[in-house]
Amino acid sequence: MKRRLFSRRFLIFPVALIVGGLALQMLEGHEARAVPHASSPFAALAKFSEILQVVQENYVDDVAEPDLIKGAINGMLESLDPHSSYMDTEEFKEMQVETKGEFGGLGIEVTMENGVVKVVSPIEDTPAFRAGVQTGDLIIKLDTTAVRGMTLNEAVSRMRGKPGSTIVLTVVRQGASSTLEIPIIRDVIKIHSVKGAKMEAPGIGYVRITNFQSHTTEDLQKAIEGLKKEAGGKLDGLVLDLRNNPGGLLNQAVGVSDLFLNEGVVVSTRTREGEVDRMSANPGDILDGAPMVVLINGGSASASEIVSGALQDHHRAVLMGVRSFGKGSVQTIMPMSDGSALRLTTARYYTASGRSIQAKGIDPDIEVAAVQAQTRVPANHSIQEADLEGHLTVEGEAGKQGAAAQDAAPQDSDEIGSDGTITRTIEDFQLRRATDLLQGFKAFQGMKPH
């Protein structure tokens, strides 16, 4: 058997072309394989196999073949779009755990953008959320390692780790004068997707969905039934909070929408062959037609946008906040025979009216920025009988302190100006506006024509 001898000839390039500091050499003596005709379905595989062999035989360091294959698969999928990816057996197992609501890590939903990791949304009550990670943050370093050059799965794998261990994220944030270093202590992330159910005002309920898991529809139904019971059997209005909800399972987005719709298309998906799958609502509205406000923002993505779009298109709810993220594609999990899986974009989805929100997002009906609004309360407010502690009512029962007196009385977080004016910060201005709107609906419905 002949030994192949490789002679190396150095190629000299103009300085302008070697800024990257590359030393290039020509590999001679390599015997090219016979490649099938270009029209053959095996031609591409033969080319890949040849390149794989050359890399294995000549790369400067030893590289395990499984790592090369995995890298090639990742590169192929990530060249398609930011949401298609490959999961090895361990990553696939973790993904299955995540959809059930418990996993280890930091608690952020991320995507890849221009070679860095972009935060879609921090998940409420997780280490990342408490550390101050924000929607839109660009993660450029994980500890001391630059993110550029990593795949999304590699970056996610580095962010996960043993609970109690610390990782430092270096992020670029819009409006910040320099990069930010955010230390985060990893923890076991337990996600309860339906949270914060409460009566925001008399007759007005509030509930938040943080993401869409396998039991979200069921849990939301229980939460709303609890609010109805607390309200005496019926709600006059509901605020559904989808802010910073990165999405999740498509069937749960349809199920949540169905809770509030009596009929009609919730969402449709279309494949590249033009196949259309329409998912529709069943009769029955859990609120019996009571008005709704849905809160959205730039962290509301995917399944959140399906719900928002369905309720907006059917004129079932008023959307309030700022434009949503704009992810209008559907990913299908395709298990492989070895226990790995592909997350592959297989369809685009369209709202009930047929609009695509891909890279556009959903615009709210009423735009309300997430600001800490301030209200000024005159300190010389005229106190009336109804404002006095223990005042008598018409029925002769002891009264409670009136709302006007509560508004006029200084609170711990207030700032009192030199003129005696109280400046009060409203922590969640968007929620306040949503509640005010629903109370307005309630007031109008209570009016009787004379």
Side-chain angles (χ1 to χ4, degrees):
M1 183 177 187
K2 285 188 178 180
R3 283 184 65 193
R4 287 185 291 174
L5 299 178
F6 295 90
S7 64
R8 292 169 169 82
R9 185 195 314 159
F10 284 89
L11 304 181
I12 307 302
F13 287 83
V15 174
L17 296 181
I18 58 171
V19 174
L22 300 179
L24 302 180
Q25 56 184 348
M26 190 69 123
L27 188 62
E28 295 183 343
H30 172 70
E31 298 176 4
R33 294 183 180 182
V35 177
H37 192 271
S39 61
S40 166
F42 300 103
L45 290 177
K47 181 178 181 180
F48 174 77
S49 179
E50 182 181 18
I51 293 173
L52 178 63
Q53 180 185 348
V54 170
V55 171
Q56 285 181 297
E57 292 177 354
N58 298 283
Y59 185 63
V60 63
D61 293 322
D62 288 332
V63 184
E65 183 176 288
D67 292 338
L68 290 173
I69 299 295
K70 181 179 178 180
I73 295 172
N74 277 325
M76 174 177 61
L77 292 172
E78 290 175 7
S79 71
L80 302 175
D81 64 77
H83 309 295
S84 294
S85 61
Y86 170 74
M87 294 174 283
D88 61 26
T89 53
E90 288 302 314
E91 291 167 340
F92 183 34
K93 289 177 182 177
E94 286 185 21
M95 187 279 298
Q96 292 173 300
V97 171
E98 286 178 19
T99 60
K100 294 179 181 178
E102 182 174 331
F103 58 95
L106 306 181
I108 48 176
E109 181 79 12
V110 295
T111 187
M112 188 68 79
E113 183 175 289
N114 298 324
V116 297
V117 174
K118 182 177 182 179
V119 177
V120 175
S121 176
I123 301 172
E124 190 175 350
D125 287 343
T126 64
F129 182 87
R130 291 190 289 268
V133 176
Q134 296 182 10
T135 295
D137 281 350
L138 299 177
I139 303 173
I140 60 173
K141 278 187 180 180
L142 301 172
D143 286 328
T144 58
T145 305
V147 168
R148 191 171 293 277
M150 294 184 190
T151 66
L152 182 60
N153 282 338
E154 287 171 344
V156 169
S157 179
R158 282 179 176 266
M159 285 188 277
R160 290 176 178 167
K162 185 178 179 180
S165 62
T166 300
I167 185 172
V168 177
L169 307 186
T170 302
V171 306
V172 175
R173 179 173 297 167
Q174 186 174 6
S177 58
S178 61
T179 59
L180 306 174
E181 292 188 353
I182 305 176
I184 306 175
I185 300 175
R186 296 181 180 93
D187 199 356
V188 175
I189 309 300
K190 296 182 179 180
I191 304 298
H192 302 285
S193 63
V194 178
K195 306 181 70 171
K198 61 180 179 178
M199 298 303 299
E200 191 64 31
I204 308 299
Y206 168 88
V207 65
R208 174 175 172 77
I209 303 178
T210 58
N211 68 341
F212 290 85
Q213 302 170 356
S214 55
H215 299 291
T216 298
T217 302
E218 178 185 350
D219 292 345
L220 179 62
Q221 185 171 2
K222 290 178 181 177
I224 293 176
E225 292 295 350
L227 290 174
K228 288 167 65 175
K229 184 177 181 181
E230 187 176 347
K234 181 180 179 182
L235 288 173
D236 297 316
L238 178 72
V239 179
L240 179 62
D241 193 346
L242 298 180
R243 292 174 296 180
N244 295 322
N245 181 324
L249 300 177
L250 173 62
N251 67 334
Q252 293 301 304
V254 174
V256 167
S257 303
D258 189 14
L259 287 178
F260 308 107
L261 297 173
N262 276 310
E263 59 182 358
V265 173
V266 172
V267 65
S268 62
T269 62
R270 300 179 195 175
T271 66
R272 69 178 183 184
E273 289 83 12
E275 295 179 3
V276 178
D277 182 14
R278 293 183 176 86
M279 285 152 270
S280 300
N282 298 303
D285 177 353
I286 193 171
L287 295 180
D288 297 319
M292 293 179 62
V293 174
V294 177
L295 294 176
I296 60 171
N297 65 5
S300 306
S302 193
S304 297
E305 294 173 298
I306 290 175
V307 175
S308 302
L311 298 181
Q312 186 181 55
D313 284 356
H314 285 285
H315 307 289
R316 180 62 188 86
V318 172
L319 267 56
M320 183 179 289
V322 295
R323 180 180 296 174
S324 63
F325 184 78
K327 180 180 177 291
S329 59
V330 178
Q331 284 68 48
T332 301
I333 304 300
M334 299 180 172
M336 300 289 105
S337 58
D338 64 348
S340 63
L342 303 183
R343 180 190 287 111
L344 188 65
T345 300
T346 54
R348 289 181 172 87
Y349 75 75
Y350 297 80
T351 67
S353 64
R355 57 180 170 149
S356 171
I357 56 91
Q358 175 62 30
K360 299 176 183 176
I362 293 179
D363 288 316
D365 300 302
I366 301 175
E367 185 169 347
V368 179
V371 296
Q372 287 193 334
Q374 293 183 328
T375 180
R376 299 176 70 83
V377 183
N380 62 349
H381 168 78
S382 177
I383 303 298
Q384 298 176 337
E385 168 71 15
D387 300 323
L388 299 178
E389 183 75 32
H391 71 271
L392 296 178
T393 64
V394 174
E395 292 79 11
E397 297 176 353
K400 296 181 180 180
Q401 186 177 10
Q406 292 174 4
D407 285 342
Q411 298 177 4
D412 291 341
S413 59
D414 292 344
E415 295 180 8
I416 303 177
S418 59
D419 61 351
T421 300
I422 299 170
T423 300
R424 179 165 303 154
T425 298
I426 302 171
E427 293 299 331
D428 192 340
F429 186 54
Q430 292 170 322
L431 176 56
R432 176 72 171 267
R433 285 289 305 274
T435 305
D436 289 345
L437 182 62
L438 290 173
Q439 287 180 308
F441 286 153
K442 180 180 177 181
F444 275 113
Q445 290 171 346
M447 291 182 176
K448 296 181 180 180
H450 295 287

